[in-house]
Amino acid sequence: TPLSLASGPVTVVDHTFTATETVDLVATGCTGTDTEGVDRFYSVDLLAGHYYQATLSVAAGFDAALYVFSDCDNPSGTCIAGAEAGSEGVAETLVVRPAQSGTYYLGVDSPNSVTQNFPRGSYTLILREFSPASNETCSTATLLDLSGGGVEVVADTTTAFDDVVLPAAGCTGTGTIGADFFYEVVLLAGQSYTITLTPDVSYNAALYLFTSCSNAAGTCVAGSDHPQAGALEVINITPTVTQTYIIGVDSARKPGTPLAQGSFTLTVE
C-alpha cells in the first residue's frame, strides 16, 4: 500500500488477521529476530539525509515487528532499521535516516509463526518526518555551562541514531552500539566532579567521558554501564588539567531492540 508524507504525518489503522507470510528476515538481521509471522507492507518515498520515525502501536495479543527495507527481492540485505520489543501488546518504534533517496518499504510482521502465540493482531502505524536533536552527533554536542555550579539535563534518545561506537574492551566495559546524545563541558584542573546518569526504568543506558570525537575510544577517560535497565551510571573525576570533555549518553543495545532507548536525567556537579 503506497503512503505519502507530502501533507505531513500519515496514520494507518489496519490488521494482519487475513494476511499471509511474505518476508522472513533472518535472526541476525535488522530486527534481531526471525520474522516468521504474517505480514503487511507499505511503500513510501524517503529523501536522503532526512529523518523519519515510524511508530507501531499494537493491540494486546499481538507480538509485532517493524522494519524498513528498500528491495523486495532482498529485504534482509537492504533492511536499514528494525524494531522488535519481544513482547505482545508492546509498541515498536524506529527511526531512519536514508543514505539514498528512493522508495522504501515498511513491514509490519511478527517473530511468531501462525502456530505460535500472538502472531496476528490489529495495529496503528504512524510515519512522520522530524528534525533531529542538535546533539545527536559528537560534533554537535550541547555545551553545558557550569559557571553557576551544577547542571541538570532531561532528554530522551528515542529518536536518536548511533554516532559513536566504543569497543567491548573500552571504557564502559561493554561496548556501545546504541542511540546516543552528547554534551560538552569544561572541567577545571584539581576540582572534583560527579557525573550522574539516571535512565528510565525501561532504558539500559551507558555513560562515558572522552575528549576527541575523532578518537572517542582512544581518549575515553571513564565510563559506566551496568547490565540492568534503569540502573544509575556514575563517573567521578578530578582532572589534572583544565580541558573540554565530551559526555556520551549511549547504550550497549542496538536501536530498536528492547531497553535500547529512553528518557534520562543527566547531572554534572
PDB file of all heavy atoms in Angstrom, residues 47-66:
ATOM      1  N   LEU A  47      13.666  10.769   1.516  1.00  0.00           N
ATOM      2  CA  LEU A  47      14.768  11.566   0.989  1.00  0.00           C
ATOM      3  C   LEU A  47      16.065  11.297   1.752  1.00  0.00           C
ATOM      4  O   LEU A  47      16.060  11.135   2.984  1.00  0.00           O
ATOM      5  CB  LEU A  47      14.429  13.057   1.080  1.00  0.00           C
ATOM      6  CG  LEU A  47      13.201  13.519   0.283  1.00  0.00           C
ATOM      7  CD1 LEU A  47      12.908  14.982   0.566  1.00  0.00           C
ATOM      8  CD2 LEU A  47      13.412  13.295  -1.212  1.00  0.00           C
ATOM      9  N   ALA A  48      17.168  11.255   1.032  1.00  0.00           N
ATOM     10  CA  ALA A  48      18.470  11.019   1.646  1.00  0.00           C
ATOM     11  C   ALA A  48      18.794  12.095   2.681  1.00  0.00           C
ATOM     12  O   ALA A  48      18.585  13.289   2.435  1.00  0.00           O
ATOM     13  CB  ALA A  48      19.553  10.997   0.568  1.00  0.00           C
ATOM     14  N   GLY A  49      19.290  11.669   3.838  1.00  0.00           N
ATOM     15  CA  GLY A  49      19.694  12.606   4.882  1.00  0.00           C
ATOM     16  C   GLY A  49      18.568  13.167   5.718  1.00  0.00           C
ATOM     17  O   GLY A  49      18.829  13.885   6.690  1.00  0.00           O
ATOM     18  N   HIS A  50      17.327  12.856   5.372  1.00  0.00           N
ATOM     19  CA  HIS A  50      16.191  13.312   6.177  1.00  0.00           C
ATOM     20  C   HIS A  50      15.907  12.283   7.275  1.00  0.00           C
ATOM     21  O   HIS A  50      16.291  11.122   7.176  1.00  0.00           O
ATOM     22  CB  HIS A  50      14.960  13.516   5.299  1.00  0.00           C
ATOM     23  CG  HIS A  50      15.032  14.725   4.425  1.00  0.00           C
ATOM     24  ND1 HIS A  50      14.028  15.662   4.324  1.00  0.00           N
ATOM     25  CD2 HIS A  50      16.015  15.163   3.595  1.00  0.00           C
ATOM     26  CE1 HIS A  50      14.372  16.609   3.478  1.00  0.00           C
ATOM     27  NE2 HIS A  50      15.583  16.336   3.020  1.00  0.00           N
ATOM     28  N   TYR A  51      15.210  12.732   8.311  1.00  0.00           N
ATOM     29  CA  TYR A  51      14.956  11.899   9.480  1.00  0.00           C
ATOM     30  C   TYR A  51      13.474  11.519   9.532  1.00  0.00           C
ATOM     31  O   TYR A  51      12.591  12.375   9.413  1.00  0.00           O
ATOM     32  CB  TYR A  51      15.315  12.649  10.762  1.00  0.00           C
ATOM     33  CG  TYR A  51      16.791  12.929  10.906  1.00  0.00           C
ATOM     34  CD1 TYR A  51      17.431  13.910  10.140  1.00  0.00           C
ATOM     35  CD2 TYR A  51      17.563  12.216  11.809  1.00  0.00           C
ATOM     36  CE1 TYR A  51      18.784  14.169  10.277  1.00  0.00           C
ATOM     37  CE2 TYR A  51      18.921  12.466  11.964  1.00  0.00           C
ATOM     38  CZ  TYR A  51      19.519  13.440  11.189  1.00  0.00           C
ATOM     39  OH  TYR A  51      20.855  13.687  11.329  1.00  0.00           O
ATOM     40  N   TYR A  52      13.216  10.232   9.745  1.00  0.00           N
ATOM     41  CA  TYR A  52      11.848   9.725   9.784  1.00  0.00           C
ATOM     42  C   TYR A  52      11.672   8.801  10.982  1.00  0.00           C
ATOM     43  O   TYR A  52      12.586   8.070  11.368  1.00  0.00           O
ATOM     44  CB  TYR A  52      11.525   8.947   8.506  1.00  0.00           C
ATOM     45  CG  TYR A  52      11.717   9.743   7.233  1.00  0.00           C
ATOM     46  CD1 TYR A  52      12.942   9.732   6.571  1.00  0.00           C
ATOM     47  CD2 TYR A  52      10.693  10.514   6.698  1.00  0.00           C
ATOM     48  CE1 TYR A  52      13.131  10.469   5.406  1.00  0.00           C
ATOM     49  CE2 TYR A  52      10.868  11.250   5.534  1.00  0.00           C
ATOM     50  CZ  TYR A  52      12.094  11.222   4.892  1.00  0.00           C
ATOM     51  OH  TYR A  52      12.282  11.954   3.741  1.00  0.00           O
ATOM     52  N   GLN A  53      10.466   8.856  11.552  1.00  0.00           N
ATOM     53  CA  GLN A  53      10.124   7.982  12.675  1.00  0.00           C
ATOM     54  C   GLN A  53       8.862   7.211  12.333  1.00  0.00           C
ATOM     55  O   GLN A  53       7.877   7.783  11.861  1.00  0.00           O
ATOM     56  CB  GLN A  53       9.904   8.783  13.949  1.00  0.00           C
ATOM     57  CG  GLN A  53       9.525   7.916  15.162  1.00  0.00           C
ATOM     58  CD  GLN A  53       9.187   8.752  16.380  1.00  0.00           C
ATOM     59  OE1 GLN A  53       8.478   9.744  16.279  1.00  0.00           O
ATOM     60  NE2 GLN A  53       9.686   8.342  17.537  1.00  0.00           N
ATOM     61  N   ALA A  54       8.900   5.906  12.577  1.00  0.00           N
ATOM     62  CA  ALA A  54       7.722   5.058  12.419  1.00  0.00           C
ATOM     63  C   ALA A  54       7.376   4.462  13.774  1.00  0.00           C
ATOM     64  O   ALA A  54       8.245   3.908  14.454  1.00  0.00           O
ATOM     65  CB  ALA A  54       7.984   3.952  11.399  1.00  0.00           C
ATOM     66  N   THR A  55       6.114   4.580  14.162  1.00  0.00           N
ATOM     67  CA  THR A  55       5.648   4.043  15.438  1.00  0.00           C
ATOM     68  C   THR A  55       4.496   3.086  15.180  1.00  0.00           C
ATOM     69  O   THR A  55       3.521   3.440  14.505  1.00  0.00           O
ATOM     70  CB  THR A  55       5.193   5.162  16.384  1.00  0.00           C
ATOM     71  OG1 THR A  55       6.273   6.082  16.586  1.00  0.00           O
ATOM     72  CG2 THR A  55       4.758   4.601  17.723  1.00  0.00           C
ATOM     73  N   LEU A  56       4.615   1.897  15.715  1.00  0.00           N
ATOM     74  CA  LEU A  56       3.584   0.871  15.536  1.00  0.00           C
ATOM     75  C   LEU A  56       2.980   0.547  16.891  1.00  0.00           C
ATOM     76  O   LEU A  56       3.630  -0.043  17.751  1.00  0.00           O
ATOM     77  CB  LEU A  56       4.210  -0.387  14.928  1.00  0.00           C
ATOM     78  CG  LEU A  56       3.267  -1.547  14.621  1.00  0.00           C
ATOM     79  CD1 LEU A  56       2.354  -1.198  13.459  1.00  0.00           C
ATOM     80  CD2 LEU A  56       4.050  -2.812  14.330  1.00  0.00           C
ATOM     81  N   SER A  57       1.727   0.966  17.091  1.00  0.00           N
ATOM     82  CA  SER A  57       1.005   0.643  18.322  1.00  0.00           C
ATOM     83  C   SER A  57       0.126  -0.570  18.049  1.00  0.00           C
ATOM     84  O   SER A  57      -0.617  -0.588  17.061  1.00  0.00           O
ATOM     85  CB  SER A  57       0.133   1.832  18.764  1.00  0.00           C
ATOM     86  OG  SER A  57       0.934   2.974  19.005  1.00  0.00           O
ATOM     87  N   VAL A  58       0.232  -1.570  18.898  1.00  0.00           N
ATOM     88  CA  VAL A  58      -0.471  -2.827  18.632  1.00  0.00           C
ATOM     89  C   VAL A  58      -1.447  -3.154  19.760  1.00  0.00           C
ATOM     90  O   VAL A  58      -1.275  -2.726  20.902  1.00  0.00           O
ATOM     91  CB  VAL A  58       0.526  -3.990  18.461  1.00  0.00           C
ATOM     92  CG1 VAL A  58       1.433  -3.724  17.279  1.00  0.00           C
ATOM     93  CG2 VAL A  58       1.349  -4.212  19.723  1.00  0.00           C
ATOM     94  N   ALA A  59      -2.457  -3.954  19.406  1.00  0.00           N
ATOM     95  CA  ALA A  59      -3.430  -4.398  20.396  1.00  0.00           C
ATOM     96  C   ALA A  59      -2.838  -5.505  21.246  1.00  0.00           C
ATOM     97  O   ALA A  59      -1.874  -6.180  20.857  1.00  0.00           O
ATOM     98  CB  ALA A  59      -4.693  -4.889  19.687  1.00  0.00           C
ATOM     99  N   ALA A  60      -3.407  -5.708  22.417  1.00  0.00           N
ATOM    100  CA  ALA A  60      -2.996  -6.816  23.272  1.00  0.00           C
ATOM    101  C   ALA A  60      -3.172  -8.122  22.498  1.00  0.00           C
ATOM    102  O   ALA A  60      -4.126  -8.293  21.743  1.00  0.00           O
ATOM    103  CB  ALA A  60      -3.829  -6.831  24.548  1.00  0.00           C
ATOM    104  N   GLY A  61      -2.214  -9.032  22.680  1.00  0.00           N
ATOM    105  CA  GLY A  61      -2.287 -10.302  21.979  1.00  0.00           C
ATOM    106  C   GLY A  61      -1.574 -10.324  20.644  1.00  0.00           C
ATOM    107  O   GLY A  61      -1.640 -11.319  19.925  1.00  0.00           O
ATOM    108  N   PHE A  62      -0.860  -9.231  20.313  1.00  0.00           N
ATOM    109  CA  PHE A  62      -0.105  -9.175  19.064  1.00  0.00           C
ATOM    110  C   PHE A  62       1.338  -8.833  19.382  1.00  0.00           C
ATOM    111  O   PHE A  62       1.636  -7.766  19.912  1.00  0.00           O
ATOM    112  CB  PHE A  62      -0.720  -8.134  18.126  1.00  0.00           C
ATOM    113  CG  PHE A  62      -0.067  -8.045  16.767  1.00  0.00           C
ATOM    114  CD1 PHE A  62       0.675  -9.090  16.238  1.00  0.00           C
ATOM    115  CD2 PHE A  62      -0.207  -6.897  15.990  1.00  0.00           C
ATOM    116  CE1 PHE A  62       1.265  -9.012  14.982  1.00  0.00           C
ATOM    117  CE2 PHE A  62       0.374  -6.797  14.727  1.00  0.00           C
ATOM    118  CZ  PHE A  62       1.115  -7.864  14.230  1.00  0.00           C
ATOM    119  N   ASP A  63       2.248  -9.746  19.073  1.00  0.00           N
ATOM    120  CA  ASP A  63       3.692  -9.521  19.230  1.00  0.00           C
ATOM    121  C   ASP A  63       4.228  -9.142  17.855  1.00  0.00           C
ATOM    122  O   ASP A  63       4.460 -10.007  17.006  1.00  0.00           O
ATOM    123  CB  ASP A  63       4.376 -10.784  19.753  1.00  0.00           C
ATOM    124  CG  ASP A  63       5.868 -10.586  19.993  1.00  0.00           C
ATOM    125  OD1 ASP A  63       6.350  -9.450  19.823  1.00  0.00           O
ATOM    126  OD2 ASP A  63       6.545 -11.566  20.342  1.00  0.00           O
ATOM    127  N   ALA A  64       4.435  -7.859  17.637  1.00  0.00           N
ATOM    128  CA  ALA A  64       4.755  -7.357  16.301  1.00  0.00           C
ATOM    129  C   ALA A  64       6.232  -7.058  16.117  1.00  0.00           C
ATOM    130  O   ALA A  64       6.992  -6.918  17.084  1.00  0.00           O
ATOM    131  CB  ALA A  64       3.935  -6.102  16.013  1.00  0.00           C
ATOM    132  N   ALA A  65       6.615  -6.950  14.864  1.00  0.00           N
ATOM    133  CA  ALA A  65       7.932  -6.473  14.469  1.00  0.00           C
ATOM    134  C   ALA A  65       7.726  -5.424  13.382  1.00  0.00           C
ATOM    135  O   ALA A  65       6.767  -5.498  12.604  1.00  0.00           O
ATOM    136  CB  ALA A  65       8.798  -7.614  13.954  1.00  0.00           C
ATOM    137  N   LEU A  66       8.629  -4.459  13.337  1.00  0.00           N
ATOM    138  CA  LEU A  66       8.535  -3.367  12.366  1.00  0.00           C
ATOM    139  C   LEU A  66       9.898  -3.170  11.730  1.00  0.00           C
ATOM    140  O   LEU A  66      10.913  -3.168  12.423  1.00  0.00           O
ATOM    141  CB  LEU A  66       8.085  -2.086  13.077  1.00  0.00           C
ATOM    142  CG  LEU A  66       7.955  -0.804  12.251  1.00  0.00           C
ATOM    143  CD1 LEU A  66       6.838  -0.937  11.220  1.00  0.00           C
ATOM    144  CD2 LEU A  66       7.689   0.388  13.165  1.00  0.00           C
TER     145      LEU A  66
END
